[in-house]
Amino acid sequence: MLSLADTTDLLDQTTRHLMGESGPLTPQAGVALIDSWLEPLQAGENTRPLADQLTALKALLEASPLQPEAVQTAMSPVADELSLLATDMGGEGEMPALLEGLSSAMRQAANSSKADTSKSDLK
């Protein structure tokens, strides 16, 4: 189980990566981030649905050939689950805001990827 400080750091790291602040967003980077989340999320009953969604997203990221549209589609339910988790925590403290920030970054990354894919289709 992660401590509150470790969880906060991992939330920040994941959000920065999704926002492109930690280098390019690659399938390998996504798998590494998901791996760091799976064990702590599987430990809590209220976070297991999120762990299950991340497991499915990880499988898509590891698929060969990679199907970007499937990955982008799978990111939306994860973002939705993060928003629900933030709401369940209430409005107090830093954690709900961090979860909402991660949810927003995930949606933005999926939408940016969709735009990149459609631009590459035009070439």
Side-chain angles (χ1 to χ4, degrees):
M1 190 90 170
L2 294 175
S3 70
L4 181 58
D6 290 339
T7 301
T8 301
D9 288 343
L10 189 52
L11 280 165
D12 285 336
Q13 174 189 359
T14 305
T15 301
R16 282 193 315 271
H17 209 84
L18 286 168
M19 300 295 288
E21 297 173 8
S22 299
L25 189 57
T26 64
Q28 296 80 13
V31 167
L33 285 169
I34 289 170
D35 282 343
S36 63
W37 280 109
L38 284 179
E39 185 177 335
L41 290 174
Q42 288 169 336
E45 190 173 320
N46 64 331
T47 56
R48 275 192 213 118
L50 183 57
D52 292 343
Q53 289 174 334
L54 286 175
T55 299
L57 179 58
K58 178 181 173 182
L60 291 171
L61 290 169
E62 293 176 324
S64 181
L66 182 68
Q67 297 178 348
E69 296 83 15
V71 172
Q72 294 155 359
T73 300
M75 290 174 76
S76 182
V78 175
D80 292 344
E81 190 69 33
L82 287 167
S83 288
L84 286 173
L85 192 58
T87 302
D88 288 347
M89 293 184 131
E92 298 291 319
E94 168 180 39
M95 195 59 63
L98 290 171
L99 288 169
E100 277 299 332
L102 179 55
S103 174
S104 178
M106 183 159 265
R107 284 188 179 93
Q108 183 177 340
N111 289 334
S112 295
S113 297
K114 286 178 185 175
D116 292 344
T117 301
S118 64
K119 285 178 191 173
S120 66
D121 291 342
L122 297 174
K123 292 181 181 177

